[in-house]
Amino acid sequence: MEYKPTIGLEIHVQLATKTKIFCGCSTEFGAEPNTNVCPVCLGLPGALPVLNEKVVEYGTKLGLALNMHINKTSTFYRKNYFYPDLPKGYQITQYSIPIASEGFLEVKTSKSKKKIRILRGHIEEDSGKSIHTGDITESEYSYIDFNRSGVPLMEIVTYPDIETAEEAYEFLVLLRKTVRYLGVSSGDMEKGALRCDVNISVSKGETLGTKVEIKNLNSFRSVRRALEFEINRQIETLKKGGKIVQETRHLDERTGETKPMRTKEELNDYRYFPEPDLPPLILTDEYIEKIKETIPELPNEKEERFVKEYGISEDYAHEITASIEVAEYFEEAAKLTGKPKEVSNYLMVNIMKFINENGKNIKEITFGAKEFKELLDLIDSKTISKNIAKSVLEESLSSGKTPSQIVEEKGLKQITDTGEIEKVIDEVIKENPKPVSQYLNGKKQVMGFLIGQIMKKTKGKANPKIASKILIEKLNALK
Amino acid sequence: MDLKKYEKLAALNLSEEEEKRISKDLTDIINYFEILKEVNTDNVEPLVYTKGAKLFMRKDEKQKSLNKESLKKNRELFNGNFYKVKKIIGD
Ligand SMILES: [Zn+2]
């Protein structure tokens, strides 16, 4: 029997509100330390929390998008522990009844489609940030920046339905897409707007193995690497007759190995109790309905629709819908040109390459749906060949000029005037007696060479279909 | 009751005499709950919040944060741009 991994994720999503969850301080990232603080988020005695309604809105929205049930009554709790960056000595969070429970996301991997169930989603406040200067173990003090203290989070906890590193990775990718589609979070892992802890065990039978937690994974790649390493480590340990220790580990980014971490809370006793400063949060059916109406088409739905409606490949649909901006760009151009396949090709091959190489955003480029139509019309009317179209597109992307402008200025118009093409062909036949006689002796492959010569003389502007038709006629006439 | 455990959770370091006193206080409090337990609450919904208390929410609008000069007045706690906190057990 094979060892089977069992993996669960705990993800903190930073909600993109302007102000903190319980006070009016700004949530701006990267502000000068301790400039966005007030008595509430510093935990000064007597200060009272007042809930930000946007946090409730975003939490509800995200819950609904993750197919969760929204609890009409949810409550706030105090989670008590001592840590320098937690000024009140407790974190205000949700506990017994969170704002959202029981949902799922359907994740696609290279092998299959799978529903990953979500246990709960609760809203809570973030802690401050300890700044370590010098030697951490030597210093008698911690230095704290409380700008992050009170920034709103939604914690998403999955069921242990995940069985591979790839599934975990794809879940996170889809979650990030979803929060971005909704506009409830930037989803930037590098900026801490999405943080992921994983729980993992391996076992052979029904009884689950000993659970190990991996904390502080700060990129999608780290999650995947940490899980790949840890699955392997646990299986190898068990195969050798060893035991898995229940512990918290972290990923060493340099080596890709997970290592045991010294934990701050050996006593895992948070003594949760209801937050007396905040009465229950009560949501009406009308409120939930109203939020539901603001949910846009979600990534998976959009992807499926693009395949069905526009007939583009599943891979392209997946990549195009990775970003809502790219998806909107595609759809606008596909509709205006009526040529979704061509649009998807140029978009994924040429435009995305330009964007990635130049560190641009799709919204920043001047080549939009209108320019797309112009370009495809130029091909359609045989004004330019597909080959030339590519260079026109590239030129348009970098210079900002329209396709017709470029064709005009550079004289790229395809030659469809048969008289002009005939003239060139006559020259080519005259200048290449050897290939011509080879052709006449039945060596058809030299056609390619002769067409190449015609293209060279016309700088690629001859219409290849017309050119080859005339060439064959002329060669046959020589027989 | 394991007083040591709660001392640790509350980050307190009690003297032997304090331990004795607090231990007695806590035992009295717990015994008081034993009396309350005798009341029949079979058909009573648990009451967590004051009845009718309503949750007020605020709009997502910025309010003035504290100015740094006022933070700096507390020299004990504030150092440079940061709050300075003594390391806590378990940290
Ligand atoms: Zn504040």
Side-chain angles (χ1 to χ4, degrees), chain B residues 33-75:
Chain B
F33 278 93
E34 290 301 317
I35 302 171
L36 286 176
K37 264 191 188 167
E38 289 168 18
V39 182
N40 184 337
T41 55
D42 281 354
N43 294 312
V44 183
E45 286 276 314
L47 177 76
V48 177
Y49 303 93
T50 322
K51 254 209 158 110
K54 214 178 149 242
L55 179 73
F56 286 97
M57 289 194 250
R58 36 172 277 274
K59 293 237 177 298
D60 186 24
E61 283 163 6
K62 275 182 205 165
Q63 270 151 12
K64 248 207 169 132
S65 295
L66 287 175
N67 122 3
K68 192 148 259 177
E69 294 316 306
S70 68
L71 302 179
K72 281 184 174 162
K73 277 185 192 153
N74 194 333
R75 293 209 194 125

Side-chain angles (χ1 to χ4, degrees), chain A residues 20-255:
Chain A
K20 295 185 179 179
I21 182 167
F22 298 123
C23 64
C25 292
S26 167
T27 54
E28 182 198 348
F29 180 82
E32 199 189 313
N34 292 304
T35 46
N36 296 326
V37 293
C38 75
V40 174
C41 52
L42 287 173
L44 300 187
L48 288 171
V50 186
L51 184 60
N52 181 346
E53 60 180 23
K54 206 73 179 174
V55 173
V56 177
E57 182 189 320
Y58 284 178
T60 307
K61 210 168 172 177
L62 181 53
L64 289 169
L66 301 178
N67 305 295
M68 297 174 92
H69 170 76
I70 301 300
N71 294 308
K72 286 200 270 177
T73 301
S74 66
T75 46
F76 291 96
Y77 272 70
R78 291 186 181 180
K79 178 181 180 180
N80 300 278
Y81 64 94
F82 277 109
Y83 204 60
D85 57 23
L86 191 74
K88 298 191 293 296
Y90 60 84
Q91 177 195 28
I92 304 178
T93 179
Q94 295 193 298
Y95 186 55
S96 50
I97 317 167
I99 189 166
S101 37
E102 298 297 331
F104 66 87
L105 270 184
E106 194 173 60
V107 168
K108 258 181 237 154
T109 62
S110 50
K111 287 186 203 106
S112 63
K113 255 189 199 176
K114 182 169 169 182
K115 258 185 196 173
I116 311 287
R117 290 171 305 151
I118 297 164
L119 175 65
R120 53 189 276 132
H122 63 252
I123 49 181
E124 62 184 20
E125 57 179 345
D126 206 345
S127 62
K129 213 171 163 183
S130 303
I131 311 293
H132 297 294
T133 45
D135 191 338
I136 305 166
T137 47
E138 292 293 304
S139 171
E140 199 186 338
Y141 295 98
S142 298
Y143 292 87
I144 324 280
D145 172 8
F146 284 112
N147 280 348
R148 207 182 64 183
S149 168
V151 165
L153 302 174
M154 178 130 165
E155 182 176 335
I156 308 288
V157 183
T158 74
Y159 276 93
D161 288 350
I162 298 169
E163 288 168 301
T164 62
E166 191 195 2
E167 282 173 17
Y169 178 86
E170 291 299 334
F171 181 90
L172 281 172
V173 168
L174 184 54
L175 179 67
R176 181 175 65 178
K177 271 195 213 176
T178 306
V179 300
R180 287 182 173 170
Y181 269 54
L182 296 172
V184 300
S185 172
S186 74
D188 280 337
M189 255 185 137
E190 307 72 39
K191 290 184 180 172
L194 210 71
R195 279 168 261 162
C196 182
D197 298 340
V198 307
N199 284 305
I200 164 169
S201 66
V202 302
S203 71
K204 268 189 175 175
E206 286 294 300
T207 5
L208 291 178
T210 307
K211 200 160 77 174
V212 167
E213 187 176 21
I214 311 172
K215 272 190 177 281
N216 302 339
L217 296 167
N218 53 22
S219 72
F220 286 74
R221 196 170 147 255
S222 303
V223 173
R224 197 172 190 152
R225 276 174 94 198
L227 280 173
E228 276 164 2
F229 179 86
E230 188 60 20
I231 290 170
N232 197 35
R233 181 189 75 88
Q234 292 191 11
I235 293 175
E236 289 308 311
T237 306
L238 292 174
K239 273 188 182 162
K240 285 185 202 133
K243 261 200 171 146
I244 303 297
V245 186
Q246 182 167 359
E247 62 186 351
T248 304
R249 299 174 75 90
H250 76 279
L251 175 73
D252 183 330
E253 296 283 352
R254 284 167 310 151
T255 61

Side-chain angles (χ1 to χ4, degrees), chain A residues 349-395:
Chain A
V349 179
N350 310 83
I351 299 178
M352 289 317 276
K353 185 169 158 249
F354 174 82
I355 283 176
N356 293 333
E357 280 173 2
N358 295 280
K360 295 234 175 189
N361 180 299
I362 190 106
K363 295 215 149 163
E364 291 168 348
I365 61 170
T366 52
F367 192 90
K370 225 183 90 216
E371 288 71 24
F372 237 126
K373 180 150 175 31
E374 226 181 272
L375 184 74
L376 297 182
D377 282 351
L378 285 168
I379 301 172
D380 255 10
S381 62
K382 305 211 161 53
T383 311
I384 55 173
S385 69
K386 282 192 177 163
N387 242 330
I388 298 257
K390 252 182 222 155
S391 48
V392 170
L393 170 59
E394 274 154 23
E395 166 85 26

